[in-house]
Amino acid sequence: MSTEILGIIVMFTLSVFLAIPLGKYIAKVYGCEKTLLDPIFNPIERIFYKISGINPQSEMNWKEQMVALITINMVWFLLGMLILMTQGSLPLNPDKNPSMSADLAFNTVISFVVNCNLQHYSGESGLSYLGQYWLMFLQFVSAGTGMAAAVVLFRAFRDKSADTLGNFYNNFVKSCTRILLPISFVVAIILTFEGTPMTFEGKDTITTLQGDSVEVSRGPAAAFIGIKHIGTNGGGFFGVNSAHPFENPSYLSNMVEMIAQLIVPLAMVFAFGYFIRRKKLSWIIFGVMTVGFLMLTIPNIHMEMNGNPAIAAMGIDNSLGAMEGKEIRLGAPASGFWSIVTTVISTGSVNSMHDSSMALSGMNELLAMMINAFYGGVGVGLLNFFIFIILAVFISGLMVGRTPEFLGKKVEAREMKIAMIIALLHPFLILVGTALATALPQYTADSLNNPGFHGLSEILYEYTSSSANNGSGFEGLGDNTPWWNISTGFVLLLSRFLPIIGPVAIAGLLAQKKFVPEGDGTLKTDTATFGLMIFAVIVIIAALAFFPVLALGPIAEYFSLY
């Protein structure tokens, strides 16, 4: 076994081992149980509540929680627009970077508010340090928003029957202070020691080995990069993201950032099991997610290691793998592994250029975002998976001739209608956006750097990344135009809040219903058989929705190589 493959196995295994105790800790935080960090964060949280006038003990129903969620996100959006459109005249701008145009600021702020971080700018030249810090703040609160929404699901299935499901602000603040902040602080410290800048000084001048004098951007990057991964945000402080030697200086930093992406989404799955006291169910969910993850990851690593046959036909040595668009210090296997981790989890950070991936590797990256349920982002990954659980419960109930039930609550027509709307919304936004972009070449043709099959894949990737709250891109696409900024901005809005409101509404409706004790005829949802049913539902929905457009894009590109 090569050391590169061994490194990948160590990264994933360590992530799982760390996620289990973290999941137990998260369950204690949301269950208001005593933890080691209480003496530190209790006084800080009391200050927040005193200033805001919020009573964290006031119980909310699911509707009140969603109103609070949307309202506070709207405030952050308006503040962000103000800052980014005036940053050129504001302090903390040593490199004199200009203010953003209205359409670019619209896209950027929405993207960071919804935890997507789709960046149509380059960090070095597009933002002041004040702008970077505001986006770093949004990376905390957008992740906390998703986690607080997931707690509604937790409460709905722990309490036998309830109209109120906690307090959104309480869960939101705890998510940011007790979970995201301490872990991202540790990651930032490690990155700083590895060589990532953490300074307010402007560009530095260095002399290259050739004797040329070059200006190099720096800034408060380490803190930004820590939360970008822990919160599954993915926004790059520098234009090329974690392919930049300052964002990702070494193989150790690459491992740390990889584990940082994985740990909280994995922990949220285990936290669900601990919180509702059904650990076996959380292991079934984890198992389904992991099988799907490995089915995408293993082929990608293999294809990137084997190289490009078209380049090999030119007589060029391909022994290092498909190295176009990759960092030699990281290698093809680690880049292939990262490409699936970042798209499965909806982080969207990159340590190589996905536009240069092999054709079927690009297809797997697209599939990871199209399915959008294998681990997923912090909090929302579990909400997305919950939709497939509801669909699987309903179909299984029909197959055995019983009223569908999940954890003692009957799943009826109202819940199924919501689940189907949310399940179909994701492919609708992706396919309609792609269709409009290809049907209106007067707005998009100049943005494409590649014709034919790969050009279609670039368009498809942009809308898939937007709808999946991912943020990575096939960056052969020149996306800083009014068309891309505005169209993806609306996709970002719809694909973030509706898929949160839908599962939370289902959980709230189920929570109000009478609890039905499990009997001999009850469908067991913590078995491998039910896990297989969920997996089949996910595959069927993804295959039916996306196979035609994938056949026109990456699959056709693959056959053109041979």
Side-chain angles (χ1 to χ4, degrees):
M1 182 185 295
S2 71
T3 55
E4 292 172 309
I5 298 298
L6 181 62
I8 291 170
I9 294 172
V10 168
M11 279 188 275
F12 183 70
T13 304
L14 189 57
S15 300
V16 175
F17 280 134
L18 291 173
I20 295 172
L22 178 59
K24 193 171 186 178
Y25 166 76
I26 291 172
K28 286 184 175 182
V29 168
Y30 293 140
C32 299
E33 298 178 33
K34 188 176 181 180
T35 67
L36 291 174
L37 297 180
D38 286 354
I40 300 173
F41 292 113
N42 278 343
I44 296 173
E45 291 172 4
R46 281 195 291 268
I47 293 172
F48 287 151
Y49 296 134
K50 187 174 182 179
I51 293 172
S52 64
I54 291 170
N55 178 8
Q57 306 306 319
S58 175
E59 290 281 313
M60 297 178 172
N61 61 34
W62 71 267
K63 293 179 183 178
E64 291 170 329
Q65 298 213 36
M66 292 300 96
V67 170
L69 183 152
I70 293 172
T71 301
I72 199 169
N73 276 269
M74 177 60 72
V75 172
W76 295 328
F77 168 75
L78 295 174
L79 286 173
M81 286 291 289
L82 178 64
I83 291 171
L84 295 191
M85 291 181 66
T86 60
Q87 65 175 3
S89 305
L90 297 176
L92 294 179
N93 190 12
D95 297 331
K96 308 300 180 185
N97 289 336
S99 301
M100 281 190 176
S101 63
D103 60 293
L104 180 56
F106 171 78
N107 183 276
T108 302
V109 177
I110 287 178
S111 183
F112 277 79
V113 164
V114 304
N115 198 243
C116 181
N117 301 17
L118 186 75
Q119 294 175 286
H120 290 176
Y121 64 90
S122 182
E124 299 97 322
S125 58
L127 286 171
S128 67
Y129 292 167
L130 179 62
Q132 295 276 29
Y133 258 97
W134 177 254
L135 296 186
M136 184 175 75
F137 166 78
L138 292 180
Q139 291 187 120
F140 273 100
V141 296
S142 64
T145 295
M147 296 175 76
V151 180
V152 180
L153 184 70
F154 286 28
R155 285 286 302 271
F157 293 108
R158 188 189 68 177
D159 304 337
K160 299 297 182 184
S161 183
D163 291 322
T164 57
L165 299 167
N167 183 289
F168 169 79
Y169 296 111
N170 186 31
N171 294 323
F172 165 71
V173 170
K174 285 183 175 179
S175 299
C176 294
T177 58
R178 297 169 187 256
I179 301 167
L180 299 172
L181 180 60
I183 306 174
S184 60
F185 179 78
V186 172
V187 173
I189 291 295
I190 296 172
L191 292 177
T192 302
F193 277 100
E194 283 297 289
T196 299
M198 190 62 199
T199 177
F200 284 104
E201 295 182 14
K203 292 179 180 179
D204 194 10
T205 302
I206 65 170
T207 303
T208 68
L209 293 174
Q210 294 176 319
D212 299 327
S213 181
V214 179
E215 286 192 328
V216 178
S217 296
R218 46 186 176 170
F224 189 99
I225 297 160
I227 185 57
K228 100 171 185 181
H229 286 118
I230 291 299
T232 63
N233 297 279
F237 192 91
F238 300 100
V240 293
N241 212 281
S242 287
H244 196 288
F246 283 176
E247 285 209 27
N248 192 5
S250 65
Y251 197 84
L252 174 61
S253 69
N254 192 73
M255 292 185 69
V256 169
E257 292 181 26
M258 185 70 65
I259 293 169
Q261 292 179 66
L262 283 161
I263 188 169
V264 178
L266 293 178
M268 287 295 288
V269 175
F270 295 116
F272 181 59
Y274 281 116
F275 193 90
I276 68 172
R277 300 177 183 88
R278 288 178 177 264
K279 290 185 282 186
K280 189 177 178 181
L281 175 61
S282 67
W283 279 102
I284 293 298
I285 295 172
F286 170 76
V288 173
M289 290 179 170
T290 301
V291 168
F293 169 69
L294 293 177
M295 288 179 68
L296 296 169
T297 302
I298 294 172
N300 259 44
I301 295 172
H302 175 73
M303 287 183 287
E304 296 305 313
M305 287 180 67
N306 281 352
N308 191 324
I311 292 178
M314 299 167 63
I316 299 172
D317 181 17
N318 248 343
S319 59
L320 293 178
M323 289 303 297
E324 180 192 344
K326 296 181 178 64
E327 281 286 308
I328 191 71
R329 60 200 167 88
L330 303 176
S335 299
F337 180 62
W338 183 301
S339 72
I340 295 299
V341 170
T342 194
T343 45
V344 158
I345 290 181
S346 83
T347 307
S349 66
V350 296
N351 72 349
S352 65
M353 296 300 103
H354 290 187
D355 197 43
S356 299
S357 297
M358 296 301 298
L360 295 187
S361 295
M363 181 188 75
N364 285 344
E365 292 156 13
L366 282 163
L367 274 173
M369 296 183 288
M370 289 167 170
I371 293 169
N372 203 26
F374 297 148
Y375 305 143
V378 288
V380 293
L382 199 57
L383 293 176
N384 291 335
F385 194 85
F386 176 61
I387 292 295
F388 290 110
I389 290 178
I390 294 298
L391 295 176
V393 163
F394 187 79
I395 294 170
S396 300
L398 293 179
M399 292 173 67
V400 299
R402 292 185 59 85
T403 302
E405 294 177 12
F406 181 61
L407 301 182
K409 303 297 177 74
K410 292 186 182 296
V411 178
E412 296 175 306
R414 187 164 48 168
E415 293 82 42
M416 274 305 300
K417 289 176 183 177
I418 297 171
M420 283 307 305
I421 290 170
I422 300 304
L424 295 175
L425 176 70
H426 185 52
F428 176 82
L429 292 173
I430 293 170
L431 297 176
V432 169
T434 302
L436 288 173
T438 53
L440 300 169
Q442 63 268 35
Y443 300 115
T444 61
D446 293 341
S447 306
L448 297 177
N449 290 331
N450 293 280
F453 308 128
H454 195 80
L456 176 62
S457 295
E458 288 178 348
I459 296 172
L460 177 64
Y461 198 105
E462 186 74 2
Y463 287 105
T464 303
S465 180
S466 301
S467 185
N469 293 136
N470 188 270
S472 61
F474 267 15
E475 293 306 339
L477 185 73
D479 45 25
N480 184 16
T481 67
W483 169 269
W484 296 110
N485 287 333
I486 295 170
S487 66
T488 56
F490 282 108
V491 171
L492 288 164
L493 277 174
L494 295 172
S495 61
R496 170 65 168 182
F497 294 111
L498 292 179
I500 286 178
I501 294 170
V504 167
I506 294 172
L509 293 170
L510 292 178
Q512 295 170 0
K513 294 185 179 183
K514 182 181 178 181
F515 178 79
V516 181
E518 293 184 356
D520 294 336
T522 302
L523 174 68
K524 301 293 183 181
T525 55
D526 56 359
T527 64
T529 302
F530 185 70
L532 184 62
M533 186 68 186
I534 299 173
F535 189 81
V537 169
I538 293 172
V539 170
I540 290 170
I541 289 176
L544 291 176
F546 295 113
F547 178 76
V549 72
L550 290 173
L552 294 172
I555 295 176
E557 182 185 352
Y558 167 77
F559 284 111
S560 71
L561 293 174
Y562 296 93

